[in-house]
Amino acid sequence: MTPGEERPDGGGGPRGRRLLRIVLPLMILAAGAAGAVVLNRTGPKPKRKAPTPIVALVEVTALERETSQVVVEAMGTVVPARELTLKSRVSGEVIQRHPEFSEGGLLQAGEEILRIDPVDYELAIQQMQSQLANAVYGLKVEQGYQDVARREWELLGSEDATAGDVELALRKPHLQKARADKGAAEAALAQARLDLARTKIQAPFNAVVRTRNVAVGSQVSPQDTLGELVGTDAYWIQASLPVDRLGWIEIPKRSGDPGAQVTVHYGGGRWTRTGRIIKLLSDLEPGGRMARILIEVDDPLDLHRDVSDPQASRPPLLIGEYVRMEIQGAEVADVFRIPREALRDGDDVWIADRDDILAIRRVAPIWRGGDAVLVAEGLAEGERLVVTALPAPVAGMPVRVVETPSHRGSKAAAAPGNG
């Protein structure tokens, strides 16, 4: 090319290369868009499917009528059935003490607990015996005087004498005094012997020592407190329960009448004992307005239990221990016993019908227990009770059913609510 001649633009100059960089991407985008339109028009069409309904899986149990025993649950505190503050009736020095007379020691009825120095009282008996001998002597002498006075009066008596003159002449006041002196001497001797007997202080019943206030060498006076004893033959449990529960359990009206049997759970529920209701207290609990009953448990320390008994190693009941009780109540016939968790929204239950459709039904429980409730009406034999929780139950919704064993049983434990 000669000098001064212009180069064409379509060559490899800068302008041509810039144009190529702009046009080529636009052509590629246009080709891709055209291909997408062709594929969309000529490709296979997806088929629409109806949404699959979600059916809840539920467990059901067949309803059966039965006779069920009500069990009332209550909480209570162990208290002594017999307790005694041991006091002295005489004064003196304690010279002997039973080795078990200390806190926690066990005493048998009639065992000598303490002995007070008896010397002063033995001397008093000797003095009273001497006084009685003198009084007996004086009475016999006076009786001799009586015979002499009677004979003299018969010889010298006057028909004009007054009644007072006759009594004095016959020494009747003297005889009365001699007899009174003898009676007083006998009473003094009896009192001295009684005081001597009281120097030996014995256990009035089988007991455990709660406190001890004296030791050998202590000086005691009448009405001084020596210690406290608690009877070991039985303990009481004072329990509180709602007033409307009383109609379900048997409460004795008089001592000796049979009361409802009670199972006592203690030691964290590991151990049990058997007791019985012995009385209903006359007033309500001040705080919760609850009725109060007493339950008696025999041999709470297992002092008389056979060592071969499987429960011989169980711990004893302790005064002040808080325990849980199951009180055997009345039997109710021809009812449905359903688990408490099967009650929905108060008194509703869910039933799966023969077509596995959910039905919501209102019932009226006659008893509400901690684990179960008793229903007399509103349900039918063989119906399937839903025991599974559903997040949004609607009457008429379909369900998938899984059968579970019947909740049939013989007891319906109580809960703190109303029956």
Side-chain angles (χ1 to χ4, degrees):
M1 183 177 291
T2 59
E5 185 179 357
E6 293 183 357
R7 192 172 186 174
D9 293 338
R15 180 180 295 180
R17 287 195 295 273
R18 284 196 300 270
L19 183 63
L20 182 63
R21 284 197 296 270
I22 294 173
V23 174
L24 183 60
L26 293 177
M27 293 176 63
I28 294 174
L29 290 174
V37 171
V38 173
L39 289 176
N40 185 43
R41 291 179 178 179
T42 60
K45 301 295 184 180
K47 296 182 180 180
R48 293 181 176 271
K49 292 185 178 181
T52 303
I54 300 176
V55 180
L57 179 66
V58 296
E59 293 184 357
V60 298
T61 183
L63 293 173
E64 300 179 19
R65 290 190 178 272
E66 62 179 80
T67 297
S68 185
Q69 184 177 39
V70 169
V71 177
V72 180
E73 288 190 353
M75 305 297 291
T77 304
V78 181
V79 298
R82 299 180 70 180
E83 57 182 332
L84 172 71
T85 299
L86 201 63
K87 294 188 176 182
S88 174
R89 301 289 298 277
V90 295
S91 60
E93 179 185 355
V94 177
I95 62 172
Q96 186 175 321
R97 178 180 69 86
H98 193 289
E100 285 291 318
F101 186 55
S102 58
E103 285 79 356
L106 297 172
L107 299 169
Q108 297 295 318
E111 284 187 326
E112 184 177 308
I113 304 175
L114 295 169
R115 181 176 296 182
I116 297 173
D117 189 356
V119 174
D120 292 342
Y121 303 97
E122 292 170 348
L123 294 175
I125 288 177
Q126 293 179 5
Q127 293 174 353
M128 295 305 105
Q129 287 174 337
S130 175
Q131 292 180 9
L132 177 58
N134 290 333
V136 171
Y137 168 77
L139 178 60
K140 289 182 178 180
V141 170
E142 184 56 38
Q143 287 172 342
Y145 289 155
Q146 290 285 309
D147 295 337
V148 174
R150 189 178 300 109
R151 288 194 299 268
E152 288 179 350
W153 179 254
E154 291 174 354
L155 293 173
L156 303 175
S158 173
E159 295 181 358
D160 297 333
T162 63
D165 294 337
V166 174
E167 285 189 358
L168 288 174
L170 295 180
R171 298 182 62 87
K172 289 184 178 179
H174 303 74
L175 181 61
Q176 291 175 354
K177 179 180 183 304
R179 287 174 176 170
D181 290 343
K182 178 176 177 292
E186 289 174 340
L189 178 60
Q191 181 64 55
R193 287 173 174 165
L194 184 59
D195 289 341
L196 178 62
R198 287 172 174 169
T199 60
K200 297 179 180 180
I201 300 173
Q202 298 175 322
F205 46 78
N206 298 330
V208 59
V209 180
R210 198 170 190 176
T211 61
R212 177 177 66 88
N213 299 337
V214 295
V216 174
S218 298
Q219 292 288 336
V220 298
S221 300
Q223 299 306 311
D224 281 355
T225 298
L226 308 177
E228 294 182 356
L229 305 180
V230 171
T232 58
D233 292 335
Y235 281 174
W236 287 347
I237 300 173
Q238 184 173 300
S240 301
L241 69 163
V243 176
D244 58 4
R245 299 290 188 186
L246 298 179
W248 292 94
I249 57 180
E250 186 175 3
I251 299 176
K253 291 183 172 56
R254 295 179 179 84
S255 297
D257 291 347
Q261 185 172 338
V262 181
T263 301
V264 180
H265 299 266
Y266 69 106
R270 294 182 56 197
W271 308 99
T272 62
R273 290 181 182 271
T274 301
R276 63 183 181 89
I277 295 178
I278 58 172
K279 64 181 66 176
L280 170 68
L281 299 185
S282 59
D283 56 345
L284 296 178
E285 186 181 46
R289 313 300 295 171
M290 306 274 278
R292 298 186 299 159
I293 57 175
L294 285 181
I295 294 96
E296 185 174 69
V297 178
D298 292 330
D299 194 19
L301 305 183
D302 286 335
L303 301 179
H304 307 293
R305 180 173 295 278
D306 187 351
V307 294
S308 62
D309 192 310
Q311 295 200 80
S313 61
R314 65 185 175 182
L317 277 180
L318 300 178
I319 300 295
E321 189 169 3
Y322 198 56
V323 298
R324 181 177 65 86
M325 289 159 291
E326 294 179 347
I327 305 171
Q328 304 300 317
E331 287 190 347
V332 186
D334 199 24
V335 294
F336 297 99
R337 181 176 184 268
I338 65 176
R340 190 177 180 90
E341 60 269 18
L343 280 183
R344 321 288 179 173
D345 298 329
D347 293 335
D348 289 343
V349 296
W350 300 339
I351 301 295
D353 66 11
R354 295 180 179 179
D355 298 325
D356 294 344
I357 301 299
L358 184 70
I360 300 177
R361 192 175 303 169
R362 177 61 57 92
V363 295
I366 62 173
W367 174 264
R368 298 176 188 271
D371 299 324
V373 297
L374 302 182
V375 178
E377 299 179 353
L379 300 174
E381 185 92 14
E383 284 189 318
R384 298 181 298 175
L385 176 71
V386 176
V387 295
T388 302
L390 296 174
V394 178
M397 65 182 290
V399 293
R400 287 190 299 142
V401 172
V402 175
E403 297 284 347
T404 61
S406 172
H407 285 263
R408 185 175 184 176
S410 61
K411 296 181 179 179
N418 294 329

